[in-house]
Amino acid sequence: MASVTLYGYQYSVYLRIVRMALLEKGVSWTHVEIDPFAETIAPDYLALHPFGRVPTLKHGDFVLYETTAITRYVDEVFAGKPLQPSDVRARARMNQIIAIADSYGYWPMVRQVFSQRVFNAALGRTPDETAIADGLAASRKVLAALEPLAECERFLVGSALSLADLHLGAMVAYFAAAPEGDAALADFPRFSAWWAVMKDRRSMAETDPGLPRA
Ligand SMILES: N[C@@H](CCC(=O)N[C@@H](CS)C(=O)NCC(=O)O)C(=O)O
């Protein structure tokens, strides 16, 4: 069986999504640490990912970047329980939720609220309160859009875990680590009920990167 190598930055939300998918599928992998925020990125890595972001997956000699492409590949190429619904509309909803998370959720939830309030604070840096306020307002819009789409209490789509749960789970874990993020979730009961179950999932706990030290 071809080996799996995952290139990524330990605190990356996108790396975490792929790690969760691999864990859920029961696949083991080798981690190679790449810091995409470093001043220079090794040419060897840029040869794999010309945009210098993370993650990138290598399966044998097959190289793939872009998280949604990776998680779908992982789901389809490895045995284990499927992470994409077979029903066409449920799959469309899953893809919609993932796209909402990427297009409208990642920046405010992770890069504004979490990075400023939690990550920067852990590094002893002064948080940018304007970015946090802007991020919180934009995140609320995302949560309001997701609330009617969240189908049931246990999983975002249908009756089984899907890639949407992993994508949102990794982002919401960071958002909820900020007190104002956690408080905002409480205003969205269906989404909160989903998070109350999702946060205790084993693949979430096993991929928790913790925080850096100053
Ligand atoms: N569309 C990419 C986004 C990946 C991404 O933005 N990763 C972040 C880390 S969570 C990154 O590499 N950031 C580096 C930067 O913004 O320069 C994907 O889905 O894989």
Side-chain angles (χ1 to χ4, degrees), residues 12-207:
S12 159
V13 86
Y14 284 110
L15 173 74
R16 187 174 188 181
I17 294 165
V18 176
R19 292 175 67 208
M20 289 173 72
L22 289 167
L23 281 172
E24 293 286 351
K25 295 297 278 190
V27 177
S28 55
W29 71 94
T30 303
H31 174 81
V32 177
E33 182 72 6
I34 298 287
D35 182 352
F37 301 102
E39 266 180 29
T40 52
I41 298 178
D44 285 4
Y45 184 66
L46 288 174
L48 300 177
H49 193 322
F51 300 100
R53 295 208 175 193
V54 296
T56 296
L57 179 106
K58 210 164 156 189
H59 182 210
D61 59 3
F62 181 64
V63 176
L64 193 62
Y65 62 85
E66 285 302 314
T67 302
T68 50
I70 297 172
T71 53
R72 283 166 199 161
Y73 174 77
V74 164
D75 184 37
E76 288 163 23
V77 85
F78 295 109
K81 58 184 184 239
L83 297 173
Q84 301 174 84
S86 55
D87 177 75
V88 176
R89 289 190 178 183
R91 204 161 59 250
R93 189 67 80 209
M94 176 196 79
N95 289 329
Q96 181 191 24
I97 290 172
I98 291 172
I100 291 170
D102 282 344
S103 304
Y104 314 112
Y106 169 70
W107 190 263
M109 288 176 143
V110 177
R111 297 294 292 277
Q112 291 185 298
V113 175
F114 168 77
S115 293
Q116 291 298 329
R117 175 65 74 222
V118 183
F119 199 84
N120 275 1
L123 290 173
R125 298 177 189 151
T126 307
D128 178 343
E129 296 295 341
T130 306
I132 293 171
D134 290 350
L136 204 54
S139 300
R140 282 187 160 280
K141 198 170 169 184
V142 172
L143 293 170
L146 290 171
E147 179 73 0
L149 298 181
E151 231 177 63
C152 63
E153 294 193 349
R154 209 166 145 67
F155 301 108
L156 288 174
V157 178
S159 57
L161 182 83
S162 79
L163 296 178
D165 297 298
L166 308 186
H167 224 88
L168 253 298
M171 291 190 192
V172 173
Y174 269 172
F175 182 65
E180 46 279 87
D182 196 40
L185 289 177
D187 292 339
F188 302 92
R190 288 165 70 144
F191 199 77
S192 294
W194 162 78
W195 177 238
V197 176
M198 187 64 201
K199 71 179 172 43
D200 292 330
R201 201 168 175 91
R202 203 163 146 210
S203 61
M204 294 255 19
E206 287 185 11
T207 55

